[in-house]
């Protein structure tokens, strides 16, 4: 596979699996202490898996769950954020300033924080009560695994997710499944990139638990890392503006989920396929998950999307645009 280190990916899987008991122990401790609500907060790509969890929480629990952009949370505040809250944040580097700032705010106000970060001596880790290590070098989808082991364990302790033990074990099988999916998608990734890399603009559509991945790939990969003009919109909102921009040669990407929102994706698909010749459908349902129960697929679906877009399609776009994914003009180049 293009620019892919399989040995490193497999090593990262082992490191993530070793973090499971740490994630669960943090969840158990907080559950025993009690909490009134849960805040997921981060910025950029780290917010993406939290968006998926926020959508799932509405269908699974009565516990108030808030997903907040860290800079907005710091600036505007939130009346529900109190000493009884639990804050969960994520930054691989551990020095993302907005995430560090919200953790420090919480520390100063007696609010418990669980953070996922690679560097256990980082500013974020030092400002948090519980640190779940992100030791992986490869695989954005591993961030989902850590957050799932925390969140769904909390739901289990609250009596809202009785299948947690089964689910937690099956998550350990995810890396090998995703590796197979990457390989299956590889040729398609090359074809997609070749066809669409120089489009004047790309439209990315998806919804519900898949929206975070649409947000991440369109903004963090295509805009930030590839400087490709994009417009992203949810499947539900597509019919309230963006549909008027679809023409015969417009490049449109539709991400189909496996939960209740799939019917909204299919509604958008029905319209789009009759108005452009350049529709690409990414349907996670096309990919098998060995050893993972069907009832968990709608929860796992965002990780499939992540693995084929961020870990595969991004590198194929790079190969055609000749724009290095690591090159930035502005991001982290100076203070702003």
């Amino acid at each position: 596979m293009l620019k892919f280190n399989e040995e490193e990916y497999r090593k990262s899987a082992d490191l993530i699996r070793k973090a499971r008991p740490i994630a669960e122990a943090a969840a158990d401790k907080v559950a025993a202490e009690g909490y009134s609500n849960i805040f997921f907060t981060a910025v950029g790509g780290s917010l993406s898996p939290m968006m998926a969890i926020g959508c799932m929480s509405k269908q699974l629990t009565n516990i108030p769950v808030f997903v907040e952009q860290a800079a907005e949370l710091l600036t505007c505040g939130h009346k529900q954020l109190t000493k009884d809250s639990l804050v969960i944040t994520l930054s691989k580097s551990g020095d993302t300033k907005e995430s560090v700032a919200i953790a420090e705010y919480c520390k100063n106000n007696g609010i418990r924080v669980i953070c996922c970060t690679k560097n256990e001596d980082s500013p974020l880790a030092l400002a948090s009560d519980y640190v779940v290590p992100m030791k992986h070098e490869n695989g954005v989808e591993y961030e989902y695994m850590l957050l799932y082991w925390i969140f769904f364990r909390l739901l289990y302790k609250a009596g809202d997710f009785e299948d947690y033990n089964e689910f937690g074990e099956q998550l350990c099988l995810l890396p090998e499944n995703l590796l197979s999916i990457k390989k299956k998608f590889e040729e398609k990734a090359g074809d997609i990139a070749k066809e669409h890399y120089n489009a004047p603009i790309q439209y990315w559509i998806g919804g519900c638990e898949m929206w975070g991945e649409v947000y991440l790939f369109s903004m963090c990969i295509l805009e930030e890392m590839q400087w490709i003009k994009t417009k992203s919109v949810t499947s539900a909102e597509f019919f309230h503006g963006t549909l008027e921009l679809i023409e015969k040669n417009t490049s449109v990407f539709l991400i189909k989920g496996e939960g209740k929102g799939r019917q909204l994706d299919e509604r958008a698909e029905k319209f789009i396929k009759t108005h452009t010749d350049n529709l690409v459908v990414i349907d996670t349902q096309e990919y098998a998950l060995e050893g993972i129960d069907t009832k968990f697929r709608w929860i796992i679906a965002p990780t499939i999307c992540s693995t084929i877009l961020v870990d595969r399609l991004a590198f194929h776009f790079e190969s055609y645009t000749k724009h290095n994914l690591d090159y930035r003009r502005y991001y982290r180049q100076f203070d702003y």
Side-chain angles (χ1 to χ4, degrees), residues 258-273:
E258 301 189 39
K260 294 177 181 178
R262 186 177 176 89
Q263 61 184 300
L264 299 175
D265 304 330
E266 290 175 338
R267 180 177 69 146
E269 181 182 20
K270 183 179 178 181
F271 174 88
I272 298 164
K273 66 172 37 172

Side-chain angles (χ1 to χ4, degrees), residues 12 29 31 38 73 104 126 149 178 184 191 212 225 239 241 276:
S12 291
K29 184 71 163 56
I38 302 172
L73 183 58
E104 290 176 341
L126 295 174
W149 278 322
L178 296 183
K184 183 176 179 181
D191 292 341
M225 300 181 183
F239 288 98
T276 182

Side-chain angles (χ1 to χ4, degrees), residues 9 141 178 181-182 303-312:
Y9 184 82
E141 58 269 24
L178 296 183
I181 291 169
K182 291 179 202 286
T303 73
I304 299 174
C305 186
S306 177
T307 209
I308 61 180
L309 296 184
V310 180
D311 259 8
R312 293 292 81 228

Side-chain angles (χ1 to χ4, degrees), residues 31-88:
E33 294 171 347
Y35 56 94
S36 61
N37 53 44
I38 302 172
F39 276 77
F40 285 93
T41 184
V43 296
S46 296
L47 202 58
S48 172
M50 297 177 177
M51 291 177 176
I53 290 172
C55 179
M56 295 169 192
S57 72
K58 298 172 187 177
Q59 302 172 59
L60 296 172
T61 183
N62 290 320
I63 298 169
V65 176
F66 303 96
V67 180
E68 301 289 332
Q69 210 275 358
E72 291 183 356
L73 183 58
L74 282 165
T75 301
C76 302
H78 199 298
K79 288 294 186 181
Q80 297 298 322
L81 182 60
T82 71
K83 290 183 178 180
D84 294 325
S85 299
L86 169 64
V87 171
I88 301 173

